[in-house]
Amino acid sequence: MADFKTHLSVASIGSGIATTFLIVLDIANPSEKVIFFTLGIIGGFLPDIDSDHSTPIEIVFNFMGLTFAFITIFKFGDKYSVIELLVLFSIVFTLIRYVIYKIFTEFTVHRGIFHSIQAGVIFCFFTAIVLYRIFGQSETASWIGGFFVLFGYLIHLLLDEACSVN
């Protein structure tokens, strides 16, 4: 099986080539191109979030824990003291990083549902929705971002298949 470094390297190369096409065709602005490149790389390791102790699951749950902890602080920053905000930050981070992580790993199995094209399509749609609704990207940019995640996801699945052949 391909390891994390291989998935990361090949997804970076594929995402870089796809981003180069966007540059040549003048489809997106420079900041969007960086986002698309990054989304392609994220898609390249996303199928391994169901592996209990893999680098991708650690990255995803650390990122989610920090993101939601900061969002919580930003939401309640004017209502609580600094000490209370630090406690709230710690609670939210710990809840997501350790409790939800533990529940997630109990209900998932490596090479299960997350190693499917359908899951890649769901992540594609989810990314497009998040880019459009939360980050205010245009419809075109949102769909391109979603397809970059799917592209990286498919690279991962193809690498797994290619490396499993004797």
Side-chain angles (χ1 to χ4, degrees), residues 98-120:
Y98 297 103
V99 177
I100 294 176
Y101 169 84
K102 182 67 175 162
I103 293 168
F104 183 82
T105 58
E106 290 295 321
F107 285 101
T108 58
V109 61
H110 190 52
R111 306 228 188 278
I113 193 168
F114 288 103
H115 270 77
S116 68
I117 294 171
Q118 296 89 337

Side-chain angles (χ1 to χ4, degrees), residues 48-134:
D48 279 340
I49 63 169
D50 59 2
S51 180
D52 290 354
H53 300 288
S54 67
T55 303
I57 196 169
E58 299 286 331
I59 291 170
V60 167
F61 276 92
N62 280 331
F63 177 76
M64 282 184 2
L66 287 171
T67 300
F68 284 106
F70 276 115
I71 288 172
T72 304
I73 282 182
F74 297 151
K75 181 167 178 58
F76 297 111
D78 58 344
K79 296 180 182 177
Y80 298 112
S81 70
V82 173
I83 302 289
E84 291 169 324
L85 289 173
L86 286 173
V87 170
L88 191 59
F89 181 93
S90 300
I91 290 170
V92 171
F93 179 78
T94 303
L95 179 70
I96 291 172
R97 175 58 184 89
Y98 297 103
V99 177
I100 294 176
Y101 169 84
K102 182 67 175 162
I103 293 168
F104 183 82
T105 58
E106 290 295 321
F107 285 101
T108 58
V109 61
H110 190 52
R111 306 228 188 278
I113 193 168
F114 288 103
H115 270 77
S116 68
I117 294 171
Q118 296 89 337
V121 170
I122 289 169
F123 280 114
C124 170
F125 289 151
F126 178 75
T127 302
I129 291 167
V130 168
L131 287 174
Y132 183 72
R133 297 282 181 187
I134 296 175

Side-chain angles (χ1 to χ4, degrees), residues 127-149:
T127 302
I129 291 167
V130 168
L131 287 174
Y132 183 72
R133 297 282 181 187
I134 296 175
F135 292 106
Q137 296 291 319
S138 69
E139 290 177 11
T140 303
S142 298
W143 279 112
I144 292 172
F147 284 121
F148 263 78
V149 170

